[in-house]
Amino acid sequence: MEYVTAVPHPRTEASETAGPSNGRRSLGVALLFGAAGAAVALLASRQEWCSGVAAVAGGKLPLAARGSDVTGVPAALAVVGLAALVAVFAVRRAGRVLVAALLALSGAGAVAAAVLGADDSSALDEKAAEASGGTASTIDALSHTAWPYVAAAGGALLLIAGILAVVYGAAWPSMGGRYERDGAPRPRRQKAVDPERPEELWKALDRGEDPTGTV
């Protein structure tokens, strides 16, 4: 004989509260990481990534290249990732998953581009060629800074935000969500009708209301 109990299983209540809690926590972390990652990647792209000295016309010319001179990919993907982070709240269901995936891919691409550009000296070679009138010039005292890895860290934050959006994005609110419930139109509140005033009864009938109903 099957045992029947009226006591609810303890896991049911825990699962109902764990879902919204995880959604709110992941939303806050994704917003923080996404905004910070885009800002860090953009800031690092404007800093000096490498420097050196070129021999030009018998003299020495100090040269420096910023991140935007080496590669513009991290900064561009940071802008794309930031736009995707905002767009996550404007779409739903499959669209939200696609935008979240774009956010994650933007972060991954920014990391790869920054790491590949960390040891790149082609920007300095181009600057040396321009300074020497197109003749070949060697770069001495070549040095690299840590800013490419800072840009990579910003891309990593964007990547984490994208992963969180893919995994937990279905539980996040959307724009205008607080004005909606289940998609059904809200019933219009029926005004009270005084049965002793016939004109109000006729007005209620014209509005499609039941003047005999209870308010």
Side-chain angles (χ1 to χ4, degrees), residues 63-123:
L63 298 173
R66 298 184 300 176
S68 57
D69 299 325
V70 176
T71 174
V73 175
L77 290 180
V79 175
V80 173
L82 188 60
L85 180 63
V86 176
V88 164
F89 302 97
V91 294
R92 298 181 181 179
R93 299 183 180 88
R96 175 166 293 186
V97 175
L98 291 176
V99 174
L102 176 61
L103 173 59
L105 290 175
S106 299
V111 171
V115 172
L116 291 175
D119 297 327
D120 191 357
S121 60
S122 60

Side-chain angles (χ1 to χ4, degrees), residues 44-51 63-67 143-148:
S45 297
R46 299 178 180 179
Q47 307 304 316
E48 181 180 307
W49 283 23
C50 57
S51 60
L63 298 173
R66 298 184 300 176
S143 63
H144 297 272
T145 67
W147 283 109

Side-chain angles (χ1 to χ4, degrees), residues 193-205:
V193 177
D194 187 357
E196 297 182 358
R197 302 184 63 179
E199 65 275 10
E200 292 190 3
L201 294 175
W202 287 110
K203 291 180 179 179
L205 291 173

